[in-house]
């Protein structure tokens, strides 16, 4: 069974930093491209970014809204995905989900972790 | 960016009804489309990949169709547990984009 468990969310002041983690199990994590998606309170879903696998050089893609502020990385030896968030803004307040949002035939959504940016 | 537009944005229906949700892409995305369901306070769950491939464990009353720019999600006979918000999502090109969601409510 695919399981994705996010952690690291919390309250942070505008301009601050936070690092989210996502631990995967139940599938061969190292093969998958992995994504972060977020959902602001009461709003829809917004794709944040993707990191490809080793075969694709761990290359990354980002949404324009986070490019230059957020960095996605992974540690395949620990089945872990990370989202380093810097220069946080109030509008980054959201539940952050990790998962595989690509062509995978399966449900690869984590349960989410809440990030609140507020003074 | 590819814009995904769902219609309707909300829908009231009764148990046993057949409902259809439409998702239109602003440019062609082949069959690179997923449908996900989200219940209040819960994470989304993918139901369909590749426009029409029903994921394991998803009831057969759900079906997806379409390719190119127009897609549909159909629930053949609504059950109480189907009342939720549904999102389409394209994974044809970056940035991946979601529809705005369709909230399915009990009439």
């Amino acid at each position: 069974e695919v399981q994705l468990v996010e952690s690291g969310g919390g309250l942070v002041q505008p301009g601050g930093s936070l690092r989210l983690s996502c631990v995967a199990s139940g599938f061969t994590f190292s093969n998958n491209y992995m994504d972060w998606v977020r959902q602001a309170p009461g709003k829809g879903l917004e794709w944040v970014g993707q990191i490809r696998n080793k075969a694709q050089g761990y290359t990354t893609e980002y949404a324009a809204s986070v490019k230059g502020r957020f960095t996605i990385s992974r540690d395949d030896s620990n089945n872990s995905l990370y989202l380093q968030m810097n220069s946080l803004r109030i509008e980054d307040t959201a539940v952050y989900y990790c998962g595989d949002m690509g062509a995978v035939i399966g449900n690869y959504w984590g349960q989410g972790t809440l990030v609140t940016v507020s003074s | 960016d590819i814009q995904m537009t769902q219609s309707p944005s909300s829908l009231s229906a009764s148990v046993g009804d057949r409902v259809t949700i439409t998702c239109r892409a602003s440019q062609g995305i082949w069959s690179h489309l997923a449908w996900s369901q989200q219940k209040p306070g819960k994470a989304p769950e993918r139901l369909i990949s590749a426009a029409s491939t029903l994921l394991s464990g998803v009831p057969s009353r759900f079906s997806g169709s379409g390719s190119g720019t127009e897609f549909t999600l159909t629930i053949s006979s609504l059950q109480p547990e189907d009342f939720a918000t549904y999102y389409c999502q394209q994974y044809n090109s970056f940035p991946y984009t979601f529809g705005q969601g369709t909230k399915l409510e009990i009439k």
Side-chain angles (χ1 to χ4, degrees):
Chain A
E1 180 193 2
V2 171
Q3 278 203 315
L4 294 157
V5 179
E6 301 91 338
S7 62
L11 175 63
V12 61
Q13 292 187 335
S17 298
L18 209 57
R19 189 194 196 204
L20 306 184
S21 300
C22 168
V23 177
S25 60
F27 65 103
T28 307
F29 175 79
S30 59
N31 288 347
N32 286 56
Y33 298 3
M34 295 297 297
D35 301 272
W36 287 96
V37 173
R38 67 184 181 182
Q39 186 171 36
K43 302 296 184 184
L45 299 165
E46 179 188 17
W47 177 81
V48 171
Q50 182 184 89
I51 186 166
R52 299 181 181 90
N53 57 18
K54 182 178 181 180
Q56 298 300 318
Y58 298 127
T59 51
T60 53
E61 303 284 346
Y62 296 97
S65 58
V66 306
K67 195 169 186 178
R69 301 187 299 123
F70 289 12
T71 302
I72 300 174
S73 60
R74 63 191 296 165
D75 178 354
D76 291 343
S77 65
N78 286 307
N79 287 353
S80 294
L81 177 72
Y82 304 102
L83 180 64
Q84 177 67 44
M85 303 185 294
N86 298 331
S87 303
L88 282 161
R89 304 168 180 168
I90 290 174
E91 56 265 33
D92 294 319
T93 294
V95 175
Y96 285 74
Y97 299 99
C98 66
D100 184 338
M101 299 297 126
V104 64
I105 305 298
N107 179 47
Y108 288 72
W109 282 91
Q111 293 307 299
T113 187
L114 176 62
V115 172
T116 302
V117 184
S118 174
S119 54
Chain B
D1 297 4
I2 298 175
Q3 185 171 2
M4 307 300 292
T5 304
Q6 287 181 233
S7 60
S9 295
S10 63
L11 175 60
S12 293
S14 302
V15 173
D17 284 353
R18 177 185 180 92
V19 300
T20 297
I21 298 169
T22 298
C23 178
R24 289 186 174 87
S26 60
Q27 58 187 272
I29 59 170
W30 301 92
S31 295
H32 300 151
L33 184 104
W35 289 98
S36 295
Q37 176 195 66
Q38 186 176 33
K39 296 180 180 178
K42 300 293 186 182
E45 294 187 3
R46 187 177 281 197
L47 304 176
I48 289 171
S49 290
S52 60
T53 300
L54 199 65
L55 301 191
S56 176
V58 176
S60 59
R61 62 182 179 272
F62 290 90
S63 64
S65 65
S67 67
T69 61
E70 187 148 340
F71 302 86
T72 59
L73 172 69
T74 299
I75 309 172
S76 60
S77 178
L78 274 173
Q79 298 302 301
E81 60 268 28
D82 300 337
F83 292 94
T85 299
Y86 293 85
Y87 293 94
C88 62
Q89 176 233 326
Q90 66 83 17
Y91 49 86
N92 185 73
S93 63
F94 294 109
Y96 291 169
T97 45
F98 292 85
Q100 79 278 18
T102 295
K103 187 173 184 179
L104 181 51
E105 299 175 305
I106 300 174
K107 185 183 286 184

